Amino acid sequence: MAKNKQKNVVRRSIFMYVFAAILAGIFITLTIVTSMYSTLISNVLDQDVTEIENEAEAIYTSDYDSYDDLKAAQEALGAKIIEEGAVLLKNNGTLPLAGDLTDVSLLGQNSVDPVYSGHGSGNVNLDEVSSLRESFENAGFTVNPDLWDFYMNGPGSDYRKEVTSVTGSGDYRVNEVPQSEYSTSVTDSFSDYNDAGIVFIGRSSGENHDLPRETVEDGIPYLRITDEEKDLLTMAEDNFDNVIVIVNSNNPMELGFLNDYDVDAALWVGGFGQSGANALGRLINGEVNPSGSLVDTYAYNSLSAPSAVNLGNYEFTNSDVHQGDNYMVYGEGIYVGYRYYETRYEDALLNQGNAGSYNYADSVQFPFGYGLSYTSFEWSDYTVSENGDTFTLEVTVENTGDTAGKDVVQFYMQSPYTQYDRDNGIEKPSIELVGFEKTSNLEAGESETVTLEVDKEVMKAYDSTTEASYILDAGDYYFTAGKDAHAALNNVLLAKDSNLASDLVASPSEDSAGNTDLVYTHTINDFNTDL
């Protein structure tokens, strides 16, 4: 009997020791995890993540009298960023929706669940973001309530985009609502709100997991529209005379579908941030004239640049690091973005380098720097002057349309590509941005001179093979003003050889390719390594 009691005591002791060890392990794990994600957890639980000490000894003086004033200013700034940065991609005169065109239908699950930010550190507080319905209603539109409720509470609410977690697990999926989910009562509501069908296309992304190169949905790459989105566009075509597409993505998507469907206008807005959605209604009704320019080249095939070869999720297989064991190889040099597409364009045009067979018009839909307006502008009186270590570039911009708007003047340079560069492996793009300026809001018929100071240092290149320092090549340096990178390169090519006029591929920003009045040539006589 005593032995049995002793055995039971031993068993209980072992059990308690094992239980305590397991409990200690759980607490240690939770401590590590919560410390790693303390800020994220605090944000989710709506707890303060900072603490102010020595309040009496304020280092900074606020420009605002209260937190509410500060919050209002931040919200206004968020909207201003979208107003200034939204890019008008296409417009046949449909935008702005003016007069009595006020009854609209917002199409796609992305209309109720838009991309506000990247996920991870870039997250916003979704409890305080502005809805697109509020944005349109505040701008004087009436939003189709049946369609909105379908996406918010009806069968459409079962479909939402998927993104990876903060640790990088999971997948990216679009999950657009299939046509089979739309009831007759929902589609019948289109006729009452048919001044415009506004289709929202969204893609999300974030840290800890690169966008996949492989197909992720219906055998389709993530940055290309899915079959359900194609059906959504067809539904818009069939039911609305005015079809407007809003591209709500922080990543350059493949937008060839804008040519394939009866799309009247398209606007890129990026991620809205906390309050940027407030601006969209004002952009659509014309209270604000879009004046943004694309900050990347939009190719018909997002994998067509050599840099795409290096994309993917690569992981150190022998690493014991809990996080941070992923890596990326950056080996593309200048073979990325507009530097690749524009350089290959010139090389193919001049039958030089290793350009091969290349059709720029079939490769690039919207060049870097591209952006339309509700009005038109003309540039004149382009001048460049030297001032010691800088150049002063000036051009006069005139609003030749019938509505107020802002224009963006982009300044580019082409430097000589010499035999020394070739022999020493120095690679240069055919065109590179050296600066830009946006005009003030010009009324119809109003003009403004745009001025930019450019350091002469932009002309130097790095020689890692022979000099192990910066060099200045001898030859002609071309400085030009352009509506986008491709228009700028056309200016330079035409200035270098007028016989190329018939071979140039015009940018969608240009009426005709190339304008030599917007080119200045600066000649360096001697090769220089003393920089």
Side-chain angles (χ1 to χ4, degrees):
M1 189 73 173
K3 288 183 178 181
N4 288 336
K5 286 183 179 180
Q6 188 175 11
K7 288 180 179 179
N8 288 335
V9 170
V10 171
R11 288 193 188 100
R12 284 196 297 271
S13 298
I14 294 173
F15 173 78
M16 292 300 295
Y17 281 126
V18 172
F19 178 76
I22 293 173
L23 196 61
I26 292 173
F27 279 120
I28 291 172
T29 302
L30 286 174
T31 300
I32 294 172
V33 172
T34 53
S35 64
M36 291 171 60
Y37 300 107
S38 58
T39 300
L40 182 63
I41 294 170
S42 297
N43 285 333
V44 171
L45 298 178
D46 196 24
Q47 298 297 308
D48 292 333
V49 296
T50 59
E51 181 179 347
I52 299 176
E53 296 183 359
N54 300 324
E55 292 186 60
E57 300 177 9
I59 300 175
Y60 300 104
T61 301
S62 175
D63 294 330
Y64 305 96
D65 294 331
S66 67
Y67 170 76
D68 290 339
D69 290 341
L70 173 61
K71 183 178 178 182
Q74 290 176 329
E75 290 177 350
L77 176 61
K80 185 69 172 176
I81 290 171
I82 297 297
E83 291 176 0
E84 298 284 350
V87 180
L88 185 62
L89 299 172
K90 179 179 181 179
N91 191 23
N92 63 5
T94 294
L95 289 178
L97 288 178
D100 58 356
L101 298 178
T102 58
D103 297 326
V104 299
S105 295
L106 308 186
L107 298 161
Q109 58 87 16
N110 205 74
S111 65
V112 299
D113 182 33
V115 176
Y116 289 103
S117 67
H119 54 87
S121 301
N123 269 341
V124 300
N125 186 348
L126 294 178
D127 292 331
E128 295 188 13
V129 294
S130 305
S131 81
L132 293 174
R133 181 174 182 174
E134 291 173 345
S135 176
F136 278 87
E137 290 177 343
N138 290 338
F141 293 100
T142 302
V143 175
N144 185 337
D146 296 324
L147 185 59
W148 183 268
D149 187 64
F150 166 77
Y151 292 124
M152 286 293 292
N153 307 305
S157 64
D158 293 332
Y159 297 86
R160 292 291 186 268
K161 67 179 71 66
E162 295 178 22
V163 298
T164 60
S165 71
V166 70
T167 61
S169 60
D171 295 307
Y172 290 102
R173 292 186 65 86
V174 178
N175 290 335
E176 187 50 72
V177 182
Q179 291 297 296
S180 58
E181 297 288 355
Y182 289 85
S183 65
T184 303
S185 62
V186 171
T187 56
D188 285 347
S189 71
F190 295 164
S191 61
D192 295 325
Y193 299 89
N194 65 350
D195 287 335
I198 304 176
V199 181
F200 289 82
I201 303 292
R203 294 294 185 274
S204 187
S205 61
E207 59 185 343
N208 290 324
H209 195 293
D210 275 342
L211 295 183
R213 294 183 69 244
E214 66 276 6
T215 59
V216 296
E217 198 166 345
D218 302 325
I220 295 172
Y222 185 63
L223 294 178
R224 190 176 301 165
I225 61 170
T226 65
D227 291 339
E228 285 77 17
E229 288 175 314
K230 293 177 182 178
D231 292 339
L232 184 67
L233 288 163
T234 299
M235 183 172 71
E237 279 184 324
D238 294 342
N239 290 277
F240 301 92
D241 292 332
N242 296 315
V243 177
I244 301 166
V245 170
I246 306 298
V247 182
N248 175 212
S249 171
N250 295 325
N251 297 93
M253 291 184 61
E254 296 178 15
L255 302 180
F257 67 87
L258 295 178
N259 304 331
D260 300 334
Y261 293 86
D262 189 15
V263 175
D264 298 289
L267 193 69
W268 175 90
V269 293
F272 287 114
Q274 196 86 5
S275 58
N278 290 327
L280 186 57
R282 297 194 292 271
L283 286 161
I284 297 297
N285 73 6
E287 182 181 340
V288 176
N289 191 342
S291 59
S293 301
L294 292 179
V295 296
D296 209 335
T297 300
Y298 277 56
Y300 284 105
N301 180 356
S302 58
L303 299 179
S304 61
S307 55
V309 174
N310 295 327
L311 297 178
N313 288 298
Y314 304 100
E315 185 175 325
F316 293 109
T317 58
N318 61 346
S319 171
D320 295 326
V321 178
H322 174 64
Q323 283 187 311
D325 54 0
N326 292 80
Y327 67 93
M328 177 68 71
V329 176
Y330 295 100
E332 60 269 13
I334 68 168
Y335 300 98
V336 61
Y338 78 88
R339 290 171 174 81
Y340 162 69
Y341 291 104
E342 302 304 334
T343 303
R344 189 172 182 186
Y345 165 68
E346 179 178 6
D347 284 349
L349 196 66
L350 302 181
N351 194 27
Q352 64 186 17
N354 190 31
S357 177
Y358 180 68
N359 188 314
Y360 182 89
D362 291 342
S363 299
V364 175
Q365 184 175 12
F366 300 119
F368 173 93
Y370 171 82
L372 301 177
S373 172
Y374 295 153
T375 189
S376 57
F377 300 94
E378 287 187 3
W379 297 356
S380 62
D381 302 325
Y382 176 66
T383 62
V384 177
S385 57
E386 289 188 63
N387 301 283
D389 292 332
T390 64
F391 294 108
T392 301
L393 288 66
E394 292 186 336
V395 67
T396 298
V397 178
E398 180 184 0
N399 183 345
T400 56
D402 55 9
T403 186
K406 302 177 181 180
D407 198 15
V408 178
V409 180
Q410 303 163 42
F411 295 99
Y412 293 85
M413 179 193 71
Q414 183 184 92
S415 56
Y417 191 52
T418 68
Q419 190 59 48
Y420 180 91
D421 297 330
R422 295 181 177 89
D423 293 343
N424 288 275
I426 300 172
E427 295 180 324
K428 295 180 178 180
S430 285
I431 204 77
E432 53 187 314
L433 183 72
V434 295
F436 62 92
E437 291 289 337
K438 182 179 283 192
T439 68
S440 59
N441 195 43
L442 300 177
E443 297 294 333
E446 187 177 1
S447 298
E448 180 179 307
T449 298
V450 174
T451 303
L452 181 75
E453 296 291 328
V454 177
D455 289 335
K456 287 185 176 179
E457 284 200 359
V458 300
M459 297 190 295
K460 68 186 182 184
Y462 192 76
D463 174 14
S464 62
T465 303
T466 302
E467 295 293 333
S469 68
Y470 288 100
I471 64 169
L472 182 67
D473 277 313
D476 292 333
Y477 292 76
Y478 297 90
F479 290 87
T480 185
K483 297 284 187 178
D484 56 55
H486 190 65
L489 180 54
N490 278 338
N491 294 345
V492 172
L493 292 174
L494 193 60
K496 292 168 68 174
D497 186 353
S498 60
N499 294 321
L500 292 174
S502 61
D503 298 322
L504 298 178
V505 177
S507 162
S509 298
E510 299 177 285
D511 294 327
S512 60
N515 183 351
T516 57
D517 291 338
L518 297 174
V519 180
Y520 169 82
T521 306
H522 181 79
T523 302
I524 296 294
N525 295 318
D526 300 313
F527 176 81
N528 189 342
T529 61
D530 185 19
L531 299 176

